[in-house]
Amino acid sequence: MTSTIAHYSALTDWNGKNGLPRFDAVRDEDFAGAFDAALTAHNMEIDTIAGDGEAPTFANTVVALEIAGDELSRVSALFWNKAGAHTNPQIQALEREIAPKMSRHYSRIGMNEALFKRIDTLWEKRETLGLTNEELRVLERHWKGFVRSGAKLEKPQQERLATINEELAGLGAQFGQNVLADEKSWKLLLSSDEELAGIPDFLRDAMAGAAKEHGEEGKFAVTLSRSIIEPFLTFSESRDLREQAFKAWVARGENGGESDNREIVKTTLALREEKAKLLGYDSFAAYKLDDTMAKTPDAVNGLLTEVWEQAVARAGEEEAELAAIIAQEGKNHEIMPWDWRHYAEKLRAKRFNFSETELKPYLQLEKIIEACFDVATRLFGIRAVELKDVQAYHPDVRTFEIRDANGELKAMFLGDYFARPSKRSGAWMSSFQSQHKLPLKNGAVGELPIIYNVCNFAKPSAGKPALLSLDDARTLFHEFGHALHGMMSNVTYPSVSGTGVSRDFVELPSQLYEHWLTVPEILETYALHYETGEPMPKALLDKVLAAQTFNAGFNTVEFTSSALVDMAFHTRGTVEDPMAVQAEVLASLRMPKSITMRHATPHFQHVFSGDGYSAGYYSYMWSEVLDADAFEAFEETGNPFDPETARRLLDNVYSVGGAVDPEETYKAFRGKMPSPEAMLKKRGLVAA
């Protein structure tokens, strides 16, 4: 550790259990100074690499870059975890400052002429260097990163690109904070039996807890946390209250005032378009897709359009069935978005003779966590050991050691499961530290992956278990699939570790892992009634499995419309009015009036809170084509835990990170690339 940041040792010298940070010693007021010191230290390392008098080699240039900036990585990991999972006004103010500062820092590195010259020299003679396949991938990643950062541009263009990146970073931070502000500020307080009509006990408990958090003990609060708003829209018998809650939910980021995101979206799109043109691309979508499996906007739109036609036709059939239920109840209103979930639940109960309220008592959070771990044990031979005496970054966060069959420590895993006002909505996986095998400056060799999952499940009242919906349980499996991608990584170089893969491949391990939730023997073992401990009755289990493709049209229309709007924004060039473009695209698609986008533009955080999924929201579906085909590999053996198939999956998907081209590694696992057919069958959009 450099002396310049010794004062901030809690942020950079992680000496907790198994190399964890000492979260109890991390202070918000230390971040600003630690960032400044770490940025200075990183700049010194970069200058040393760029100014090396020796001819460039893979070791003195690429490997040196791979291990540079360790202090900055540690400070950043702690800060961005805090900003997303447990923020406060001090952290938010610093986030707005740090995001553009970090962008400026990395722009400066990407445009370092002497450094790029060394990388470019190695790239030009790469075939003569005797590099391994992984080393070639790492060199390619660095070279492309420099080119995409403007290394080949003239100085004035480089300076403009750096300014654009800095502005985009600030806009992304503000966008996410605005959505969180709207989510935190809205609540619907209920108290009368009439207002609570239809609300099951599990949801009443969650709403009571939310009201207590807002200082309204004795009442029941509908909040914009997905784990409360979606079941409220499903079960509330009050159409007026459903409409009120739904309109607040979809209006996040579009309420006027300081938290309105529409102008941010317009500016963001203009800057992204300018950036793409500076770098020689026809559109921002072309720029983003250049380094993915899909390659081109036409390939993405081709898949989305094929799925859309199937989805909207199925949704029309579903809407007719919901309208029939409304008529049977003696009502004559049309299906609106705040009605769909409510009547779909009634249709599901009628068609399959079970409801969410009947299922939920069997889906205890604790047992579904155990199920996640058990599947990993059966597939990959690892086990989780909880550490009860380790303090994490919030009292709700749980810490686990991940050990292999021989007892060797493979990773650390933190699970942060409950919603709170200081946490942004949604669910995600991230890392404090990625796996690699390189020697470090402190003499150590390699680093243990430290991975965490963040979810937003409703926290139950004291003494009661947290009960999940089936969608919640899938979310838990999904994020743990990402976590496994990070924890099972077995590569040499940090830049290709774990989830360091192309955007449209990164969702494969997570979406594939969801399949094991509904493997009968997993549900039979872990879907236990929270009061009786009895397993889910086989009759109910059979109904759950039979209903897996229920409401497929609605779910696919919600997703695909969002993905198509994302692509339209990033292929059209300058967008004067993003909301008009959204409306135009939806009209051209014949978007059903009864369904809305899963993420309307002003709160589309995947796309506008940073650019991780910009022109990339499609990647969930692209990966779904892969995951449906991948699970078929197990089904073809007759054993969902077939050891040989699991070994190939580990060796070719979960452990290799970005060290191998994704198409090559998928073919090594499966023998071929898939068509969308398996995915369409999985969704129930075509006959199995």
Side-chain angles (χ1 to χ4, degrees), residues 626 629-630 632 636 663 666-675 678:
L626 301 175
D629 177 71
E632 279 192 349
E636 288 163 5
E663 188 167 326
Y666 189 82
K667 287 178 180 177
F669 163 65
R670 194 67 170 106
K672 61 181 177 63
M673 289 300 291
S675 73

Side-chain angles (χ1 to χ4, degrees), residues 533-656:
E534 292 294 314
M536 184 186 294
K538 187 175 186 308
L540 179 56
L541 173 59
D542 290 343
K543 293 171 188 175
V544 170
L545 297 177
Q548 285 192 88
T549 59
F550 175 73
N551 218 25
F554 170 84
N555 291 326
T556 310
V557 164
E558 264 200 329
F559 170 84
T560 312
S561 58
S562 297
L564 284 163
V565 168
D566 170 33
M567 289 304 297
F569 279 146
H570 294 105
T571 54
R572 289 190 172 205
T574 303
V575 173
E576 186 60 34
D577 183 350
M579 300 310 295
V581 171
Q582 174 183 298
E584 178 194 333
V585 172
L586 297 180
S588 70
L589 293 170
R590 296 175 291 110
M591 180 76 171
K593 184 180 179 182
S594 52
I595 307 176
T596 60
M597 294 167 60
R598 183 168 297 175
H599 305 286
T601 298
H603 58 260
F604 204 165
Q605 295 199 76
H606 286 78
V607 172
F608 294 107
S609 186
D611 73 350
Y613 283 85
S614 56
Y617 192 62
Y618 79 92
S619 60
Y620 288 96
M621 185 165 285
W622 191 274
S623 292
E624 193 175 349
V625 172
L626 301 175
D627 82 65
D629 177 71
F631 194 69
E632 279 192 349
F634 286 90
E635 292 178 320
E636 288 163 5
T637 71
N639 177 5
F641 300 99
D642 177 65
E644 175 56 26
T645 309
R647 183 194 62 76
R648 292 202 317 271
L649 181 65
L650 176 62
D651 290 348
N652 296 294
V653 177
Y654 281 90
S655 70
V656 297

Side-chain angles (χ1 to χ4, degrees), residues 341-560:
R341 289 172 177 81
H342 183 69
Y343 288 102
E345 178 63 19
K346 291 186 175 183
L347 177 61
R348 180 170 63 174
K350 177 181 178 182
R351 177 177 297 172
F352 299 102
N353 196 27
F354 83 95
S355 70
E356 184 76 27
T357 55
E358 187 180 357
L359 179 62
K360 200 153 189 171
Y362 292 96
L363 298 177
Q364 303 173 63
L365 171 61
E366 191 62 36
K367 290 296 180 183
I368 301 302
I369 292 172
E370 289 179 23
C372 272
F373 291 150
D374 187 22
V375 170
T377 300
R378 297 183 191 215
L379 289 173
F380 305 135
I382 59 173
R383 59 188 177 88
V385 180
E386 185 164 10
L387 303 177
K388 297 284 191 180
D389 58 346
V390 173
Q391 181 175 332
Y393 59 86
H394 186 276
D396 285 344
V397 180
R398 300 166 64 178
T399 305
F400 301 85
E401 293 179 333
I402 304 298
R403 296 187 174 274
D404 65 15
N406 298 319
E408 182 182 346
L409 185 65
K410 302 295 291 183
M412 295 298 295
F413 173 70
L414 288 78
D416 181 357
Y417 299 112
F418 295 124
R420 53 181 172 266
S422 62
K423 181 192 289 188
R424 68 176 170 88
S425 61
W428 65 95
M429 165 269 186
S430 193
S431 64
F432 289 110
Q433 184 169 281
S434 297
Q435 176 272 334
H436 69 84
K437 301 175 185 177
L438 292 180
L440 301 175
K441 290 179 294 184
N442 62 8
V445 177
E447 288 185 316
L448 194 76
I450 303 175
I451 308 298
Y452 62 93
N453 278 169
V454 180
C455 298
N456 270 282
F457 305 135
K459 191 173 184 178
S461 302
K464 294 191 176 183
L467 301 178
L468 306 181
S469 67
L470 191 59
D471 281 346
D472 287 339
R474 284 198 183 98
T475 295
L476 192 69
F477 265 70
H478 179 99
E479 297 307 334
F480 194 68
H482 278 309
L484 284 170
H485 200 188
M487 294 189 295
M488 303 307 294
S489 178
N490 184 24
V491 300
T492 300
Y493 297 93
S495 65
V496 293
S497 178
T499 56
V501 298
S502 67
R503 176 59 63 192
D504 50 9
F505 193 75
V506 76
E507 295 297 334
L508 169 61
S510 54
Q511 292 178 184
L512 175 59
Y513 206 69
E514 292 178 37
H515 288 262
W516 278 280
L517 168 64
T518 49
V519 167
E521 62 190 277
I522 294 299
L523 285 177
E524 289 164 2
T525 304
Y526 294 100
L528 305 179
H529 197 283
Y530 77 98
E531 291 178 322
T532 68
E534 292 294 314
M536 184 186 294
K538 187 175 186 308
L540 179 56
L541 173 59
D542 290 343
K543 293 171 188 175
V544 170
L545 297 177
Q548 285 192 88
T549 59
F550 175 73
N551 218 25
F554 170 84
N555 291 326
T556 310
V557 164
E558 264 200 329
F559 170 84
T560 312

Side-chain angles (χ1 to χ4, degrees), residues 213-460:
E213 278 193 350
H214 284 275
E216 299 284 354
E217 193 161 4
K219 295 184 179 181
F220 302 86
V222 182
T223 69
L224 300 182
S225 168
R226 187 174 289 272
S227 59
I228 287 182
I229 184 70
E230 285 201 334
F232 179 79
L233 293 169
T234 299
F235 295 111
S236 174
E237 292 290 345
S238 171
R239 189 167 190 250
D240 289 344
L241 291 177
R242 292 200 312 268
E243 180 178 0
Q244 187 177 342
F246 183 87
K247 287 183 174 179
W249 191 32
V250 299
R252 289 168 294 160
E254 196 177 358
N255 287 304
E258 292 183 357
S259 64
D260 195 294
N261 274 331
R262 285 171 287 188
E263 195 62 31
I264 288 178
V265 170
K266 177 182 175 180
T267 305
T268 296
L269 291 172
L271 289 171
R272 286 175 177 171
E273 175 70 8
E274 185 182 355
K275 174 178 178 175
K277 292 294 174 58
L278 273 174
L279 292 169
Y281 292 90
D282 290 338
S283 67
F284 188 76
Y287 162 74
K288 283 299 293 289
L289 293 169
D290 186 44
D291 197 28
T292 65
M293 295 182 77
K295 304 299 184 191
T296 68
D298 285 346
V300 172
N301 283 321
L303 171 65
L304 294 175
T305 301
E306 178 181 353
V307 173
W308 176 260
E309 296 301 327
Q310 303 275 2
V312 78
R314 176 59 57 84
E317 297 168 1
E318 293 168 354
E319 183 171 350
E321 293 179 299
L322 302 187
I325 293 178
I326 293 174
Q328 289 166 11
E329 292 183 349
K331 301 171 184 175
N332 62 2
H333 63 78
E334 60 184 334
I335 299 283
M336 295 300 290
W338 47 90
D339 296 317
W340 192 293
R341 289 172 177 81
H342 183 69
Y343 288 102
E345 178 63 19
K346 291 186 175 183
L347 177 61
R348 180 170 63 174
K350 177 181 178 182
R351 177 177 297 172
F352 299 102
N353 196 27
F354 83 95
S355 70
E356 184 76 27
T357 55
E358 187 180 357
L359 179 62
K360 200 153 189 171
Y362 292 96
L363 298 177
Q364 303 173 63
L365 171 61
E366 191 62 36
K367 290 296 180 183
I368 301 302
I369 292 172
E370 289 179 23
C372 272
F373 291 150
D374 187 22
V375 170
T377 300
R378 297 183 191 215
L379 289 173
F380 305 135
I382 59 173
R383 59 188 177 88
V385 180
E386 185 164 10
L387 303 177
K388 297 284 191 180
D389 58 346
V390 173
Q391 181 175 332
Y393 59 86
H394 186 276
D396 285 344
V397 180
R398 300 166 64 178
T399 305
F400 301 85
E401 293 179 333
I402 304 298
R403 296 187 174 274
D404 65 15
N406 298 319
E408 182 182 346
L409 185 65
K410 302 295 291 183
M412 295 298 295
F413 173 70
L414 288 78
D416 181 357
Y417 299 112
F418 295 124
R420 53 181 172 266
S422 62
K423 181 192 289 188
R424 68 176 170 88
S425 61
W428 65 95
M429 165 269 186
S430 193
S431 64
F432 289 110
Q433 184 169 281
S434 297
Q435 176 272 334
H436 69 84
K437 301 175 185 177
L438 292 180
L440 301 175
K441 290 179 294 184
N442 62 8
V445 177
E447 288 185 316
L448 194 76
I450 303 175
I451 308 298
Y452 62 93
N453 278 169
V454 180
C455 298
N456 270 282
F457 305 135
K459 191 173 184 178

Side-chain angles (χ1 to χ4, degrees), residues 159-176:
E159 291 173 356
R160 177 56 188 157
L161 181 61
T163 299
I164 290 171
N165 287 335
E166 186 176 337
E167 290 180 21
L168 285 172
L171 291 168
Q174 187 64 61
F175 186 97

